[in-house]
Amino acid sequence: MTVSTDVLIVGAGIVGAACAWELAKSGLRVAVVDQSYPAAGATGASMGHIVVMDDSEAQFALTRYSQTLWDELSPELPATVEVDRCGTIWVAADDEEMQQVRRKQAYYSERGVQTEILDSTALRQAEPGLKAPLAGGLRVPGDSVVYPPAAASLFLEKAVALGAALHIGKTVTSLGQGRARLADGAELRASKLINAAGQHAARLTAGLPVKPRKGHLVITDRYAGMVRHQLVELGYLKSAHSLTSDSVAFNIQPRKTGQLLIGSSRQYDVEHDHVEPAILSRMLERAFEYFPGLSSLSSIRVWTGFRPATPDKLPLIGAWSEDPTLYVATGHEGLGVTTSLATAKLICAQLLDRTATIPVDPYLPSRHMAEVHA
Ligand SMILES: Cc1cc2nc3c(=O)[nH]c(=O)nc-3n(C[C@H](O)[C@H](O)[C@H](O)COP(=O)(O)OP(=O)(O)OC[C@H]3O[C@@H](n4cnc5c(N)ncnc54)[C@H](O)[C@@H]3O)c2cc1C
């Protein structure tokens, strides 16, 4: 069987789904193929924090732009997407981390992002469950939380309503030159292909610098009101930057259901998706240290997922120079939910030869990619 279309997207995670919707809105005939089901990969395992970040100008530009797109979209999102404008508090343990708070505030203020510095007392008032004393924190009220699987499914539904075709439960075994070969022997053809296969993207496109980075999460029973913001320790940045070692950081999120989502861990070079008691214990000890009341709560599920990571901590969005039909949209590591909507806009602009709202160059797969260390 051979089916032909304008654009074929491999991957029905949040990135592939957002691209499908954006391209369908632009009038293109789109097909999406996934080996499992929508959001079966990192998207279904993620926290859904929509967060503006400042590791680099390029990271800031993409996260900020995408957050704006989420904000514009949120009035029309159904309750199932669980949009919560709870804001983030970056928690500073000591004076050294308070210097980071001040630096971060200056950076955000210069770029129009609203923030508020909390001293030790204000932090305690904002989040009474945090341990005391802590030095303070930075509140970023514009950050929010969504439920990623529901968002991805919705984007796909919108794409299908505009005529997109979904091929679910179909594994792509090779991709290139306008063709996707499926494991069942069928072939799908398209003028343009998009590899949005997340942690598996490099299996389909040799040389793509994406590798899986494992994470654990725990979700508790319902304890409404116990945590009011997404709370992240400033040491999280060290954890996110590490290129080699296993790392954990305090990161806790209130869900609209009243449940608490507790993270986070980062590991390279682990292939199996089992829950690992050693790293899980380290992660929970860190969480209990910052928020002692967590230790007496019931958890109802623990799971793992794999972030698609690149050496320079920026995603790969654009044409793959070795194949004129092939584009990639992957490598979003721990920010793919946040940056999915901006990714879709950038891919669409490149496919249709239009000027994008932000420069595309920092994310092009052809860029020089230096490893970013902590
Ligand atoms: C623990 C954890 C917490 C996170 N928290 C956040 C957060 O708070 N905020 C945030 O912005 N991001 C977060 N992330 C990151 C985010 O989840 C990812 O960056 C994002 O989901 C990547 O989306 P994707 O569509 O590229 O990949 P995926 O969601 O992994 O989708 C890829 C899809 O491709 C399919 N596929 C793969 N290979 C093939 C093939 N050969 N044939 C057919 N289909 C194929 C898979 O089945 C899958 O459905 C977190 C990630 C983890 C693991």
Side-chain angles (χ1 to χ4, degrees):
M1 182 188 71
T2 301
V3 180
S4 189
T5 188
D6 292 330
V7 187
L8 177 85
I9 301 170
V10 184
I14 192 111
V15 172
C19 290
W21 186 23
E22 191 63 35
L23 293 165
K25 275 192 280 186
S26 300
L28 294 171
R29 288 178 308 140
V30 177
V32 181
V33 54
D34 198 290
Q35 62 192 4
S36 308
Y37 49 88
T43 301
S46 109
M47 270 188 144
H49 188 199
I50 306 297
V51 55
V52 64
M53 293 285 284
D54 62 347
D55 289 359
S56 63
E57 287 295 343
Q59 189 194 57
F60 174 81
L62 194 67
T63 54
R64 177 67 165 151
Y65 174 39
S66 212
Q67 187 179 68
T68 311
L69 296 170
W70 277 105
D71 289 346
E72 284 168 12
L73 188 60
S74 59
E76 60 182 91
L77 292 175
T80 48
V81 180
E82 297 181 23
V83 179
D84 187 355
R85 294 275 302 223
C86 58
T88 304
I89 296 180
W90 292 93
V91 178
D94 52 29
D95 289 344
E96 196 187 332
E97 290 186 356
M98 276 310 277
Q99 282 176 23
Q100 279 195 61
V101 162
R102 285 185 277 276
R103 184 207 54 75
K104 219 170 165 54
Q105 189 195 36
Y107 184 94
Y108 284 156
S109 304
E110 280 162 20
R111 290 160 183 78
V113 179
Q114 195 194 340
T115 57
E116 181 190 357
I117 291 186
L118 307 177
D119 63 14
S120 186
T121 311
L123 178 64
R124 191 143 183 78
Q125 280 165 357
E127 288 290 348
L130 280 169
K131 77 168 174 181
L134 284 164
L138 185 71
R139 181 169 16 212
V140 186
D143 287 352
S144 55
V145 166
V146 298
Y147 184 49
S153 299
L154 180 81
F155 298 166
L156 285 171
E157 276 168 30
K158 300 252 186 202
V160 168
L162 292 168
L166 266 186
H167 303 273
I168 294 303
K170 304 281 180 191
T171 300
V172 175
T173 53
S174 73
L175 185 71
Q177 305 304 333
R179 290 154 197 248
R181 169 76 59 186
L182 306 186
D184 63 9
E187 187 176 88
L188 302 173
R189 289 191 190 177
S191 308
K192 300 291 179 199
L193 307 167
I194 301 177
N195 182 347
Q199 60 143 335
H200 298 308
R203 289 186 191 165
L204 294 175
T205 305
L208 200 61
V210 173
K211 62 178 187 172
R213 199 172 189 192
K214 187 174 180 180
H216 286 69
L217 288 178
V218 176
I219 194 152
T220 69
D221 213 335
R222 295 168 192 245
Y223 301 96
M226 190 167 180
V227 177
R228 302 164 184 174
H229 304 81
Q230 175 109 15
L231 298 175
V232 193
E233 65 163 296
L234 273 158
Y236 173 89
L237 301 173
K238 289 178 218 145
S239 159
H241 283 179
S242 163
L243 277 173
T244 48
S245 58
D246 296 355
S247 58
V248 298
F250 168 63
N251 185 347
I252 178 166
Q253 176 182 95
R255 301 291 324 174
K256 278 215 151 175
T257 53
Q259 292 168 289
L260 302 175
L261 198 45
I262 305 171
S264 61
S265 66
R266 282 181 150 79
Q267 295 168 276
Y268 282 119
D269 303 320
V270 183
E271 282 181 15
H272 57 76
D273 61 1
H274 311 164
V275 170
E276 294 170 66
I279 191 125
L280 180 65
S281 299
R282 270 178 65 195
M283 187 180 96
L284 287 174
E285 277 162 21
R286 191 78 180 162
F288 299 163
E289 185 190 326
Y290 273 84
F291 207 102
L294 291 179
S295 62
S296 57
L297 308 186
S298 321
S299 65
I300 57 172
R301 192 160 90 88
V302 181
W303 68 89
T304 66
F306 290 89
R307 307 168 182 92
T310 63
D312 67 357
K313 311 291 176 211
L314 289 172
L316 301 153
I317 307 169
W320 186 245
S321 55
E322 289 163 37
D323 179 344
T325 66
L326 182 61
Y327 287 69
V328 298
T330 188
H332 298 75
E333 216 269 5
L335 289 169
V337 180
T338 301
T339 55
S340 55
L341 294 176
T343 298
K345 293 277 187 196
L346 299 192
I347 279 285
C348 195
Q350 291 177 70
L351 274 168
L352 296 174
D353 210 13
R354 294 180 183 156
T355 304
T357 303
I358 61 169
V360 298
D361 300 34
Y363 322 105
L364 291 178
S366 57
R367 69 185 180 263
H368 170 69
M369 209 172 295
E371 285 200 347
V372 174
H373 294 268

